[in-house]
Amino acid sequence: MWGGGAGHRFYSVVVFVLLASLDNVAIGLVPPLYGAIAESFAVPQRLLGLVTAVSFLVSAVAAVGWAYIGDRTNRKPLLMIGTLIWAAGTGGSALAGNYPTFLVAQLLAAIGLGAVGSVGFSVVTDLISPRRRGLVMSFWGLSQGAGTLAGTLVGGLLGAVDWRRPFLLLTVVGLAATAAYLFTYDIRRGQSEPELADAMAAGAEYDYRISRADLPAVLRRRTNRWLILQGLTAQAAFGSLVWLPVLFAERARDQGYSSATAIVVGSVFATLFQLGGVLSIVGGLVGDALQRRTPSGRALVAAVGILAAVPFYLVLFFVPIRIDVPDGAGTGAVVRAVLGSVVSEPTVGLSLLTALLALALTSANSPNWFALIADANPPEHRGTVYSLGNLVNGVGRAAGNGLVGVAFHALRAAFPPPLNYAVGLAAFQLFFIPTGIMYWLAARSSPKDLAEVRHLLHTRAEKL
């Protein structure tokens, strides 16, 4: 059975959107624990940064294979298999007794995670009409941002005493996610497209599937090229931001706090400062509204948001923060003190406002990127195009995450901690400038590409 009632459909959407956050939970889990894991395995912290960087890349490469198979076959079993592989790798990370074992387990988890985003994206786009893609994709992107926040928070709070506990918890979540997939229904490919609505309502089946012969045409589409390439620079900047908890933890250590308290402080500050990502909903709504007026709308919203955010990021890293928390106290007391400092300490309040503005502006990128991929490609190409974009994203994020760690180390000679972290992070945010330029170029190419896809679907509807 391919469908179900309204409740069944709603449940399916919720499951796919929530589970899209899992890869980001896994990504956000490790950085707050770099110090603790490095100490446990007696290795330098930068080797833990390498684990995250390589995991980004492996997950992105695996996603291309998962997505191509998903664009040709039944997508539901692939999602379940990928989630089980991810859970096995996460559990192995918790049980690792040395650095090489931990690295292998993380790479196994990354292979499984490749299925969650790429195949899940293909499924969700078949549930959303073009008119509301920006809004719904903002929830998709928001769930990923929430996953990063959850990973950062869970890693810092639950792992402050024992770094293995967050990985065990996430393993259980992965197994529960697999069970949740069992109760979703198989969504028909192309069922949300207005051009295909009448034919599919009459019982026709959209049976077009991607083939290797389609790949050159996918890459010839100029909008696809800009949407894919922008990830290289955008994710170099975003990838560096996983070190945000480390920056604030180092600030706490610089003020004399113990390592355990500093980890909690860094995690809570980083979580607070990323709440601006919630405003991606606004970016999605604005993208939907402008797209109805001009076929360049979504790309223009993303370009303006990305470029306008750069100054706010630069201010965020250099605003001095006075941290006043009870050193050595329990996690709850430290969290309450950090939250209270937002009101009691003007520097903390200013930093939070700056961070919210920066994240709100860059969050316009995510929903409009997702929606543009769906708008500019027929249903059987979307998972593959998304995965190619995600592959470039992974390369960019791996470069940003890995190279910024090297930059911190190199800058240490001229800028003592925590200033070396602030200077390094500020430098990497300049990668947003070419990102904004590429979105502007996508705004110029998208009208022609979107018109061609609509014409193609009209032609296929007549044949169906």
Side-chain angles (χ1 to χ4, degrees), residues 233-329:
T233 52
Q235 295 302 323
F238 283 126
S240 70
L241 292 176
V242 302
W243 286 81
L244 204 57
V246 179
L247 169 64
F248 292 104
E250 287 297 324
R251 285 184 172 181
R253 288 191 185 94
D254 187 56
Q255 295 181 31
Y257 289 97
S258 64
S259 180
T261 300
I263 289 175
V264 175
V265 168
S267 297
V268 176
F269 268 125
T271 302
L272 281 175
F273 291 169
Q274 293 182 64
L275 291 177
V278 173
L279 295 176
S280 65
I281 296 171
V282 177
L285 284 170
V286 173
D288 279 342
L290 197 57
Q291 188 70 19
R292 288 193 287 270
R293 297 173 66 105
T294 168
S296 301
R298 298 195 198 282
L300 288 173
V301 170
V304 171
I306 286 287
L307 293 173
V310 174
F312 292 102
Y313 276 116
L314 299 182
V315 171
L316 170 64
F317 302 134
F318 293 103
V319 171
I321 291 181
R322 182 177 178 273
I323 299 169
D324 186 11
V325 299
D327 193 21

Side-chain angles (χ1 to χ4, degrees), residues 63-98:
V64 177
W66 288 111
Y68 183 77
I69 297 170
D71 280 343
R72 292 179 59 83
T73 60
N74 189 345
R75 297 170 288 192
K76 185 173 178 178
L78 289 182
L79 285 167
M80 296 181 68
I81 294 168
T83 305
L84 285 173
I85 293 172
W86 166 77
T90 304
S93 301
L95 301 175
N98 52 53

Side-chain angles (χ1 to χ4, degrees), residues 39 52 55 100 129 140 167 285 382 402 422 432 447 461:
E39 184 178 343
T52 304
S55 294
S129 70
W140 175 270
F167 291 95
L285 284 170
R382 290 171 187 163
F432 279 134

